Amino acid sequence: VSQSRYGDLNSEALKMGSTTEELLTTFRALLGPGLAAKMTIQEIIKLTSTGVAAVKSLGLGPEQLVQELRDLVQGGIRPASSTLATALGLKDSDIEKAKQSSEGLYNFLMKRLSGFQVAAEYQKGHGMG
């Protein structure tokens, strides 16, 4: 990961109350599937940041970050292991439809995750994160 990307991940970590390591590991795992879904690097960074905050807000541990978010980007959603996708009411067919839509997968997922993003930023800004 280049210095500028690392800096972007670090600033997202500070903003969302995550660790740079959590974001870096998750970003690396989402990079291939994200690019395949026609996302930009900057979109993958933002999705990583928001997604990590969402997974953590559900009380899931850091070991589940990659699995949960990869399911959202590439599919393979299973109720037993895809807690975030299940909480958002998403199925593989929704992911495929979003990839084919004019809106794109990134915009689709960010709309679904917007509540988690607002909550994470609020908690961080009010000393709760």
Side-chain angles (χ1 to χ4, degrees):
V1 177
S2 72
Q3 274 308 113
S4 68
R5 299 293 178 231
Y6 186 82
D8 292 343
L9 285 165
N10 195 37
S11 67
E12 284 293 320
L14 292 170
K15 187 167 78 178
M16 300 298 275
S18 300
T19 69
T20 303
E21 186 59 37
E22 287 169 338
L23 292 189
L24 192 56
T25 301
T26 308
F27 170 77
R28 284 182 177 144
L30 293 182
L31 189 57
L35 292 173
K38 299 180 178 69
M39 291 182 197
T40 67
I41 299 287
Q42 210 51 48
E43 288 173 339
I44 297 168
I45 288 171
K46 191 73 181 155
L47 178 63
T48 298
S49 169
T50 303
V52 165
V55 171
K56 289 171 76 173
S57 76
L58 293 172
L60 303 174
E63 70 284 350
Q64 290 175 270
L65 294 172
V66 168
Q67 174 70 43
E68 291 284 335
L69 296 174
R70 203 174 357 192
D71 288 353
L72 285 183
V73 176
Q74 68 185 24
I77 295 170
R78 287 173 203 81
S81 63
S82 306
T83 307
L84 181 57
T86 302
L88 294 171
L90 298 176
K91 299 177 181 63
D92 283 346
S93 58
D94 299 316
I95 302 301
E96 279 310 308
K97 261 189 253 168
K99 284 180 182 178
Q100 307 305 323
S101 73
S102 59
E103 171 183 49
L105 182 61
Y106 172 76
N107 290 320
F108 173 80
L109 290 175
M110 290 305 287
K111 279 184 191 168
R112 292 299 185 101
L113 292 168
S114 63
F116 288 109
Q117 181 177 357
V118 170
E121 289 173 357
Y122 177 84
Q123 286 179 342
K124 185 68 181 156
H126 287 82
M128 302 162 125

